[in-house]
């Protein structure tokens, strides 16, 4: 009797200090690699994800049921690079009455990459505008994929990058369809070790800080080749009072020197969470959305599931 009480107290402690499971998800919760989430003013939720010219799913509530609606850019990108009929890692933002959908044109392991943009007034049909001017080739110290737009209070900033020199930011014009004239790509985070496996930057504001979320580790192909425990994707964060530099982790370590505080990592049936973003939901407040392997289902990239957790910022650092 006593030992079962102790066991249940211990499991309660585990729940308090561990990671919450993803919120419920119904309908099509797979096909969710590198998701982007937004709610239309009529309450309908939209989810965009990697591949198939950016898949669109919609749902009447944030927990579903999700339904596949087709490709956002059915004719492929105007950007003439390998990958223009695939398209990765979408980011969606509303500015005024227009939605901006940023996407990556690239191919696995290549630096021949560019960030494109499409616009819409309803989230259903999109007009591809092609190149934003943020691009890379072999020899650059970055890979121009994984875009995320951010309004820092006075200007639009685009964060991007994957491996090589890791995460960068560039100032954007307003409206945010092109990089600002002469804007440089400034390094904002770097992992010095190994392959510099850091990507998926996403900046979100809370209080006086700009929080830089990113994915650290190996993202993909877990069905073929699973890395050593702890080397798979996890979600980390740094913060700064500037959106364009000075990011440090909770221990004060510079994020240009390997810093990063873990927000979410493998736990229970959740494996390799990443490709994340933050959405300020009108009902739930800030939520972290991401993809993960549900180990009860399978490890293939096409089986990755859509996850959402509410974020608690009360300590000054995001806790899920
Ligand atoms: C795709 O291409 C077809 C044929 O050129 C054109 O009729 C159609 O409007 C295009 N669709 C979009 C969404 O641009
Ligand atoms: C947020 O976390 C703090 C502990 O850091 C806790 O006291 C508070 O109840 C949490 N808020 C919510 C809404 O869960």
């Amino acid at each position: 009797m006593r030992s079962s009480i102790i066991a249940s107290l211990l499991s309660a402690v585990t729940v308090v200090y561990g990671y919450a499971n993803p919120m419920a998800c119904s309908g099509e919760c797979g096909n969710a690699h590198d998701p982007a989430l937004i709610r239309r003013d009529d309450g309908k939720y939209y989810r965009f994800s990697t591949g198939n010219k950016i898949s669109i799913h919609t749902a009447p509530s944030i927990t579903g049921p999700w339904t596949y609606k087709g490709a956002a850019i059915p004719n492929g990108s105007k950007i003439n690079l390998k990958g223009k009929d695939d398209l990765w890692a979408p980011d969606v933002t509303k500015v005024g009455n227009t939605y901006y959908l940023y996407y990556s044109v690239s191919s696995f392991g290549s630096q021949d990459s560019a960030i494109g943009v499409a616009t819409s007034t309803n989230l259903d049909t999109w007009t591809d505008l092609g190149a934003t001017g943020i691009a890379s080739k072999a020899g650059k110290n970055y890979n121009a994929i994984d875009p995320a737009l951010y309004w820092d209070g006075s200007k639009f900033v685009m964060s991007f990058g994957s491996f090589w020199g890791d995460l960068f930011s560039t100032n954007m014009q307003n409206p945010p369809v092109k990089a600002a004239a002469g804007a440089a790509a400034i390094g904002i985070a770097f992992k010095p070790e190994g392959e510099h496996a850091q990507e998926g930057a996403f900046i979100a504001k809370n209080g006086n800080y700009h929080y830089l979320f990113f994915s650290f580790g190996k993202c993909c192909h877990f069905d073929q080749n699973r890395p050593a425990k702890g080397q798979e994707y996890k979600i980390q964060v740094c913060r700064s009072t500037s959106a364009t530099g000075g990011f440090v982790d909770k221990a004060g370590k510079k994020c240009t020197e390997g810093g990063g505080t873990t927000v979410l990592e493998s736990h229970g049936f959740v494996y390799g969470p990443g490709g994340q973003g933050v959405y300020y939901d009108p009902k739930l407040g800030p939520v972290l959305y991401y993809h993960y392997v549900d180990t009860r289902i399978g490890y293939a990239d096409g089986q990755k599931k859509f996850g959402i957790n509410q974020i608690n910022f009360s300590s000054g650092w995001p806790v899920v």
Side-chain angles (χ1 to χ4, degrees), residues 65-239:
W66 291 97
T67 309
Y68 177 64
K69 291 293 178 183
I73 307 173
N75 290 353
S77 173
K78 282 184 181 174
I79 299 173
N80 194 17
L81 276 182
K82 186 177 174 195
K84 72 188 176 67
D85 291 315
D86 188 17
L87 309 178
W88 296 345
D91 173 64
V92 65
T93 308
K94 189 178 188 190
V95 179
N97 292 320
T98 304
Y99 297 96
Y100 293 82
L101 180 71
Y102 301 93
Y103 59 81
S104 322
V105 186
S106 188
S107 50
F108 211 82
S110 168
Q111 259 182 303
D112 243 334
S113 310
I115 292 169
V117 61
T119 57
S120 175
T121 53
N122 57 21
L123 293 169
D124 292 313
T125 56
W126 293 87
T127 304
D128 182 35
L129 305 182
T132 59
I134 303 174
S136 60
K137 281 188 194 318
K140 286 250 191 194
N141 65 339
Y142 53 81
N143 190 8
I145 66 169
D146 290 1
L149 185 75
Y150 181 65
W151 172 254
D152 80 351
S154 62
K155 64 184 177 302
F156 287 108
V157 175
M158 185 75 81
S159 59
F160 62 93
S162 167
F163 290 63
W164 282 276
D166 287 332
L167 310 183
F168 287 78
S169 89
T170 283
N171 294 344
M172 297 291 286
Q173 296 178 4
N174 187 1
V177 292
K178 293 274 181 202
I186 309 287
I188 54 173
F190 179 64
K191 296 285 192 188
E193 67 270 36
E195 292 183 292
H196 322 300
Q198 185 179 36
E199 56 190 358
F202 190 103
I203 304 176
K205 181 105 202 258
N206 197 75
N208 294 324
Y209 289 103
H210 309 278
Y211 290 84
L212 171 64
F213 292 79
F214 55 85
S215 306
F216 177 35
K218 186 173 152 68
C219 70
C220 304
H221 310 324
F222 296 139
D223 53 337
Q224 296 154 28
N225 182 13
R226 218 164 305 150
K229 192 169 159 40
Q231 306 288 300
E232 75 276 17
Y233 247 21
K234 60 172 75 107
I235 299 169
Q236 295 194 322
V237 72
C238 295
R239 73 177 191 191

Side-chain angles (χ1 to χ4, degrees), residues 239-259:
R239 73 177 191 191
S240 174
T241 51
S242 160
T244 54
F247 291 98
V248 294
D249 70 11
K250 200 172 174 179
K253 187 169 183 182
K254 287 182 182 171
C255 293
T256 48
E257 296 176 1

